[in-house]
Each structure stands twice: as structure tokens, then as C-alpha cells.
Amino acid sequence: MRHFKIFILLFAMLPALSSCNYNSLVEQKQGVEQQWAEVQNQYQRRADLIPNLVNTVKGYATHESSTLEKVTQARAAATSVNISADNLNEETMAKFQAAQNQLTGALKSLLAVTEAYPDLKANENFRDLQVQLEGTENRIATARGRYTEAVAGYNTAIKKFPTVIYAGWFGFTPQPQFKADDAAQRAPEVQF
């Protein structure tokens, strides 16, 4: 008799479970994972361009070896931090962002150093690589924006009633967002 009551209770709850939007959550979670893959793809594209950029600069700026080393080390650190979509959380996202921010800073230093080399700036290979790098940075920003939108939709969906009741049961947990670098919070100093 007890098993029969449990069966009736589960059967009665079946219509409530159908409103939990499970399939919708699966689709949204897949969207987050797809957008994360695109973010990683664009960061990999940037990492692939860097050796060519460094080698081109090396030929012109041999005494800038410390800057070139920093870029190479930052690239190695950035490419060593790989996070699967299944392992996205605040901690892993922070590690990923820290490595990418370090590489961004090293690249900015490298490009600043190149200003002192007019022959390098006139070099067609360098200009092409610089254009490709700028395009890649734009693609990274776009991919991050799309990831952010996918995460916002997914995180909102799992927090809405009545889905919030069921989401945890099925393993749907909030996904982390990108956070702005601390330096982005300060306005740049402009001097004339």
C-alpha cells in the first residue's frame, strides 16, 4: 500500500515536472557551451598570431629581448589555462581571465615598443600581423559579448519560478560571467 501511495504521488507530480522547462534549459546550457567554445577559439587565434608577431619584431628590435620574453611567457601561460565548458565556475573563469589579461598587457607593451622602430612599422609583414591582431581582439570582444548574453539568458532561466525548484535537481547551476579587469575601472590619464 505504501508503494502505491508513492507511485500515485509521483504520477500526480508528473504534470508539475513538465513545466520545469528541462528541454529549454538543456538548449540554453548548450548555447552557453557553444559560446564558450567560440571565446576559446578566438583566444587561440590570438595565441597563434603571437609567435609570428614576436619573430617579426625580433628582426628589428633585438635589444628589446625582455619585452619579447614577457610576451612569449604570457602567451605560454595563457594557452596553458584551458577550461572545458563543463568546468566553468568563478574560480576557473578568474584563472582564465588573469592569464588572458597578462597576455593583453604584454602585447600592449610590445606594440608600444615598436613605436620606436620606424622601419618595423613600415614593414608589410608587421602591419599585416598588427591588423590581424586588431581584428582578433575585435572577434574576442564579440565572442565574449555573445557568451555573456548566453549566460545571462541561461542564469535567468534557472532562477525563474517554478524552474528554480527543479533546476538544481537536474544539475543546472549558474555559469560565471566575465568580469572587467580592475584597470578598466579607472579612466585613462590623458596629457597634452
Side-chain angles (χ1 to χ4, degrees):
M1 183 69 172
R2 185 164 193 251
H3 294 293
F4 183 71
K5 288 181 181 179
I6 292 173
F7 178 74
I8 294 296
L9 179 64
L10 288 175
F11 189 73
M13 288 181 61
L14 196 56
L17 285 175
S18 69
S19 69
C20 71
N21 302 323
Y22 179 82
N23 290 338
S24 174
L25 293 178
V26 169
E27 288 173 5
Q28 288 182 334
K29 176 75 170 161
Q30 288 293 345
V32 168
E33 291 174 6
Q34 178 183 359
Q35 292 306 322
W36 178 248
E38 183 59 22
V39 168
Q40 289 184 309
N41 180 39
Q42 295 308 324
Y43 276 118
Q44 184 62 52
R45 184 177 194 276
R46 176 172 76 170
D48 292 344
L49 284 172
I50 290 170
N52 294 329
L53 185 65
V54 168
N55 287 332
T56 301
V57 173
K58 258 186 204 177
Y60 287 87
T62 54
H63 62 281
E64 303 290 352
S65 61
S66 67
T67 302
L68 296 171
E69 275 182 39
K70 286 179 185 174
V71 171
T72 302
Q73 290 169 352
R75 178 191 179 272
T79 57
S80 71
V81 180
N82 289 319
I83 305 169
S84 74
D86 296 335
N87 195 24
L88 278 173
N89 58 48
E90 294 292 332
E91 182 182 337
T92 57
M93 178 66 84
K95 286 179 184 176
F96 182 82
Q97 273 193 262
Q100 294 301 330
N101 289 344
Q102 182 181 3
L103 180 55
T104 298
L107 281 172
K108 285 179 183 176
S109 296
L110 176 65
L111 294 175
V113 163
T114 62
E115 291 295 318
Y117 299 92
D119 291 343
L120 173 61
K121 289 181 5 181
N123 178 285
E124 188 176 331
N125 287 340
F126 177 75
R127 284 195 323 260
D128 289 347
L129 287 167
Q130 197 171 14
V131 167
Q132 287 182 42
L133 191 58
E134 288 172 9
T136 299
E137 293 298 329
N138 289 336
R139 289 177 182 188
I140 288 169
T142 299
R144 284 177 57 152
R146 290 179 180 157
Y147 170 80
T148 298
E149 288 173 11
V151 168
Y154 168 78
N155 285 349
T156 299
I158 65 172
K159 292 177 183 177
K160 285 184 174 179
F161 185 81
T163 308
V164 68
I165 297 168
Y166 308 107
W169 295 354
F170 296 119
F172 295 103
T173 57
Q175 295 296 293
Q177 285 285 12
F178 281 101
K179 293 184 178 154
D181 186 26
D182 290 339
Q185 303 303 317
R186 295 183 297 277
E189 187 176 312
V190 178
Q191 295 179 0
F192 293 101

